Amino acid sequence: MQREEKQLDMLLEAVLNRLNELKTSISSMIHKIETESISWPVFLDNFALISSHLTGLSKILSHELGTPLTNLTVLPLMLTPERDEVLLQLTEGRIPVFSHDLVPDYLRTKSEPAAEARMLQNEQKANNLNAEAAMKHIAQYTKVVSHVWDIISKNREEWEVEASSRSGVQQTSSMTDTQTLVAAVGMGKGLKMTMPVGPGPAGIMVPPAMRPGIIPGPIGPAAISPGTGKAPSAIKTNIKSANQIHPYGR
């Protein structure tokens, strides 16, 4: 009897260690997916680690030492609706109480009745399917899976090539263009003056203010003398009377 209990303790300890490793691997993978941008090889490595833990757990349960676990029955020693801190610590915060309502779910050894009926229905449907129809469905599923796999592989290759060819952050601005724009807005550098010009000497078009011999005057309606309707001349003259006596007589 003591030997069987010792073997059972060893088996439970091995199963518990394997379950803790599996839980740690799953938590680490979920954390990387949610917080990091992992590559496809890293994702496959984490998935392979989880798969290895599941395989090891299956081997431990299939090669049981001593009494098989399927021959044992788990019975609750005490049921209470009150919060149990020891149970909460043992289950890492998942089960706060061990009441009458929760025990059938926690100690269930078979699937739920609805899930079990659905599974039985699928098994009957699979058994009634002939070999030819089954091979046809398998071929269709294989074709779909292969097509999806080709698309994923092609996109993965394109992403890897693009990531390897990209040396750094792509430049989206030009410092030279920025400096040119700032100089044009702040100091007017590079801007052309558009104003009316007229013909100048030697056929050169020059502004009126730069023509030699012309004194700029007022332009517009204010330059027209009232009552005459003509614009005054821009050249100032000093006309003296002809009958003025010369100060030095002959």
Side-chain angles (χ1 to χ4, degrees), residues 6-245:
K6 186 176 181 180
Q7 291 178 349
L8 180 61
D9 293 339
M10 293 175 58
L11 175 61
L12 293 177
E13 184 178 359
V15 172
L16 184 61
N17 292 334
R18 184 64 66 176
L19 287 175
N20 289 331
E21 294 176 356
L22 178 61
K23 183 184 66 175
T24 303
S25 300
I26 295 175
S27 301
S28 176
M29 185 175 181
I30 293 175
H31 178 73
K32 289 181 179 179
I33 293 175
E34 293 179 348
T35 59
E36 301 178 7
S37 178
I38 62 175
S39 60
W40 183 251
V42 176
F43 179 83
L44 291 180
D45 293 340
N46 286 269
F47 191 81
L49 182 60
I50 294 175
S51 180
S52 65
H53 290 322
L54 289 173
T55 304
L57 181 61
S58 300
K59 290 182 178 179
I60 293 176
L61 294 177
S62 60
H63 299 81
E64 295 176 347
L65 301 175
T67 305
L69 295 178
T70 55
N71 297 337
L72 299 179
T73 303
V74 179
L75 297 176
L77 298 179
M78 182 179 62
L79 300 178
T80 174
E82 301 295 334
R83 182 184 179 91
D84 191 351
E85 297 296 337
V86 177
L87 180 63
L88 187 65
Q89 184 178 2
L90 290 175
T91 58
E92 298 181 358
R94 293 189 297 270
I95 305 176
V97 296
F98 207 58
S99 61
H100 299 75
D101 297 335
L102 301 178
V103 165
D105 294 331
Y106 292 147
L107 301 183
R108 185 186 299 275
T109 57
K110 297 178 63 177
S111 303
E112 295 184 358
E116 190 174 357
R118 186 70 177 270
M119 184 66 67
L120 182 61
Q121 181 180 0
N122 293 332
E123 290 179 354
Q124 292 178 356
K125 184 178 179 180
N127 294 330
N128 295 332
L129 190 66
N130 54 19
E132 184 178 358
M135 293 303 297
K136 184 178 180 180
H137 288 306
I138 292 174
Q140 291 178 353
Y141 292 150
T142 304
K143 184 178 179 180
V144 173
V145 173
S146 300
H147 180 63
V148 175
W149 175 257
D150 293 339
I151 294 176
I152 295 176
S153 300
K154 184 178 180 180
N155 292 333
R156 183 184 65 179
E157 292 176 359
E158 293 178 355
W159 293 338
E160 291 178 352
V161 171
E162 182 180 356
S164 60
S165 61
R166 187 183 305 169
S167 57
V169 180
Q170 296 182 356
Q171 186 176 0
T172 58
S173 62
S174 174
M175 185 59 65
T176 304
D177 295 342
T178 303
Q179 294 177 356
T180 303
L181 181 60
V182 172
V185 174
M187 297 177 290
K189 184 177 180 181
L191 300 180
K192 295 182 180 180
M193 181 176 58
T194 57
M195 60 179 300
V197 295
I204 301 176
M205 306 295 288
V206 294
M210 299 178 62
R211 297 178 192 173
I214 298 179
I215 301 174
I219 300 175
I224 302 175
S225 300
T228 60
K230 297 181 180 180
S233 176
I235 303 175
K236 295 182 179 181
T237 59
N238 188 7
I239 303 175
K240 295 182 179 181
S241 178
N243 57 359
Q244 184 178 3
I245 302 174

